[in-house]
């Protein structure tokens, strides 16, 4: 779906509840992500509503938001926040975000975005999965089907990769490879962490490289330095769409999410509400997914996605049923020693990596 088509399709229904004037300041992650977001969402929003989008970009929004609040001068309206960020709960409790006005949303958005993704003061902006991806050139007759197969170096030989900075996700992979059912993974108690690290001891000699940046694993697969690896779904989908012979395995994929939030004290809160209502409309959600590679939560977008893309995204029912969602509430909970669970797990992970 091209941006001009989206703009034409949304002009008629955008002018009613969402018409406005002025501007809205929206944060995004820069680079190709923002370029594609501009084409698929920002420009169509402005054409449909008359509201200009002012872009601000950074690697992460959270430090800037904390600084703006400390200075009592909030210059942004809409930001994408990771609930995995250790200060998210504190920022939420401090009233950093404005409640979302769902009365502006159309029926297709309200029915398509599950209630679990529609919070009082946030709405899921996109889902980010870590999936098992393999090189079809190495396994032309069929590759690994789950994380246990990544550990099975006899039947599926070849160099492996795993994400080196993702303690919780890699521990989940190890537990699933060791036979733990999806429903029994959380919480990551000390005994489960010990079990996961013991299982990781088995595969550590076969890890060719621990990748860090999201673009690394796909490139290493293309180069032949990996036979299989964990990898972000968006990057993998982008490569597959370019004709690169990669295959994604959804069984046990870990699913995280980012939130759209409206910042309290921002200069254009009313326009920010209209922006969130617009971006969650099914056709626009489909354009967002095609532009960025990461799907928003509106499952009604599936009927607007190309037939070759829909089976690859995490919100397709068959894929969604196989995923494991990160327990952000538990990860953000403080332990008796004052550390949040996420930080404690990361410490255990880094200590294991250093051995």
């Amino acid at each position: 779906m091209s941006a001009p088509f989206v703009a034409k399709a949304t002009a008629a229904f955008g002018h009613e509840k969402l018409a406005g004037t002025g501007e809205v300041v929206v944060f995004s992650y820069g680079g190709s992500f923002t370029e594609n977001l501009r084409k698929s969402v920002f420009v169509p929003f402005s054409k449909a509503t008359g509201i200009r989008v002012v872009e601000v970009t950074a690697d992460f929004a959270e430090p800037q938001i904390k600084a703006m609040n400390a200075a009592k001068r909030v210059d942004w309206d809409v930001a994408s926040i990771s609930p995995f960020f250790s200060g998210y709960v504190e920022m939420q409790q401090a009233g950093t975000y404005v409640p979302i006005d769902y009365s502006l949303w159309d029926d297709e958005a309200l029915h398509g975005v599950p209630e679990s993704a529609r919070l009082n003061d946030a709405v899921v902006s996109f889902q980010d999965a870590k999936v098992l991806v393999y090189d079809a050139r190495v396994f032309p007759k069929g590759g690994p089907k789950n994380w246990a197969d990544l550990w099975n170096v006899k039947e599926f030989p070849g160099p492996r990769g795993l994400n080196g900075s993702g303690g919780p996700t890699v521990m989940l992979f190890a537990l699933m490879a060791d036979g733990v059912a999806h429903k029994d993974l959380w919480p990551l108690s000390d005994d489960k962490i010990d079990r996961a690290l013991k299982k990781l001891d088995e595969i550590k000699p076969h890890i060719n490289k621990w990748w860090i940046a999201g673009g690394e694993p796909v490139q290493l697969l293309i180069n032949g330095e990996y036979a299989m690896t964990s990898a972000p779904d968006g990057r993998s989908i982008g490569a597959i769409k370019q004709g690169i012979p990669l295959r994604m395995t959804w069984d046990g994929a870990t699913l995280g999410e980012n939130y759209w939030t409206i910042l309290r004290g921002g200069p254009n809160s009313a326009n920010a509400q209209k922006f969130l209502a617009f971006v969650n409309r099914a056709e626009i959600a489909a354009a967002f997914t095609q532009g960025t590679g990461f799907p928003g939560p509106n499952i009604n977008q599936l009927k607007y996605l190309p037939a070759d893309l829909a089976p690859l995204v995490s919100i397709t029912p068959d894929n969604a049923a196989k995923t494991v969602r990160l327990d952000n509430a538990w990860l953000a909970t403080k332990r008796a020693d004052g550390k949040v669970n996420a930080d404690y797990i990361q410490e255990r992970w880094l200590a294991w990596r250093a051995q």
Side-chain angles (χ1 to χ4, degrees):
M1 182 182 295
S2 66
F5 176 84
V6 174
K8 180 179 179 181
T10 57
F13 61 69
H15 76 278
E16 298 172 357
K17 287 185 177 181
L18 306 186
T21 58
E23 63 187 29
V24 59
V25 182
V26 180
F27 164 87
S28 64
Y29 296 104
S32 60
F33 185 93
T34 296
E35 291 175 11
N36 291 323
L37 196 59
R38 183 186 307 127
K39 296 174 185 176
S40 60
V41 177
F42 294 167
V43 170
F45 172 76
S46 296
K47 289 183 176 180
T49 67
I51 300 168
R52 183 170 67 96
V53 175
V54 177
E55 301 171 12
V56 291
T57 62
D59 289 337
F60 302 100
E62 293 84 357
Q64 286 87 335
I65 294 171
K66 293 183 74 173
M68 285 189 287
N69 277 283
K72 300 189 184 305
R73 177 180 171 180
V74 179
D75 299 320
W76 301 355
D77 298 304
V78 177
S80 191
I81 301 291
S82 171
F84 188 66
F85 175 65
S86 60
Y88 170 74
V89 173
E90 289 83 354
M91 293 168 69
Q92 185 183 45
Q93 292 173 344
T96 303
Y97 314 118
V98 173
I100 308 300
D101 183 1
Y102 292 107
S103 70
L104 294 172
W105 289 37
D106 67 10
D107 287 342
E108 197 171 35
L110 287 172
H111 290 113
V113 178
E115 288 187 18
S116 60
R118 289 187 278 117
L119 310 181
N120 174 60
D121 57 2
V123 61
V124 171
S125 55
F126 62 87
Q127 297 184 154
D128 174 16
K130 297 297 186 296
V131 297
L132 176 55
V133 183
Y134 66 90
D135 185 344
R137 297 170 298 184
V138 178
F139 304 108
K141 296 182 179 180
K145 295 179 173 59
N146 50 47
W147 295 110
D149 287 344
L150 185 138
W151 263 255
N152 188 348
V153 296
K154 183 178 180 179
E155 292 189 32
F156 300 97
R160 269 78 167 147
L162 284 172
N163 38 313
S165 60
T169 58
V170 180
M171 289 182 187
L172 293 174
F173 301 156
L175 289 171
M176 286 183 276
D178 205 37
V180 178
H182 294 184
K183 64 181 180 63
D184 297 327
L185 290 168
W186 296 103
L188 282 177
S189 52
D190 278 316
D191 61 319
K192 290 179 186 172
I193 294 172
D194 293 341
R195 181 175 175 178
L197 296 179
K198 183 178 179 180
K199 187 68 175 177
L200 282 159
D201 286 336
E202 298 176 12
I203 200 64
K204 195 174 189 179
H206 304 279
I207 300 298
N208 196 39
K209 176 181 172 60
W210 297 92
W211 62 265
I212 303 298
E216 286 184 88
V218 168
Q219 189 59 53
L220 291 166
L221 282 165
I222 294 170
N223 295 348
E225 296 179 59
Y226 285 163
M228 65 182 75
T229 180
S230 62
D233 58 335
R235 300 277 190 169
S236 305
I237 289 170
I240 291 169
K241 287 173 63 179
Q242 294 175 30
I244 296 169
L246 303 182
R247 301 291 182 269
M248 302 166 66
T249 299
W250 279 98
D251 188 1
T254 56
L255 196 62
E257 54 197 17
N258 273 33
Y259 294 155
W260 285 121
T261 60
I262 297 174
L263 304 183
R264 189 176 299 279
N268 309 286
S269 292
N271 286 345
Q273 297 282 7
K274 293 173 181 178
F275 176 82
L276 291 195
F278 182 85
V279 75
N280 282 287
R281 285 181 156 162
E283 288 180 87
I284 303 305
F288 178 100
T289 298
Q290 291 177 82
T292 66
F294 298 101
N298 191 341
I299 61 172
N300 282 327
Q301 69 174 286
L302 291 171
K303 59 189 175 185
Y304 299 107
L305 290 177
D308 61 342
L309 176 58
L312 301 178
V313 296
S314 61
I315 60 171
T316 297
D318 286 348
N319 295 338
K322 300 172 184 175
T323 61
V324 175
R325 191 172 294 275
L326 296 181
D327 190 340
N328 292 309
W330 182 85
L331 288 167
T333 299
K334 281 190 177 181
R335 296 161 41 88
D337 59 8
K339 299 175 182 177
V340 299
N341 286 318
D343 291 342
Y344 172 74
I345 288 173
Q346 198 66 7
E347 287 178 6
R348 293 286 310 271
W349 167 249
L350 293 174
W352 178 84
R353 282 285 316 278
Q355 292 176 356

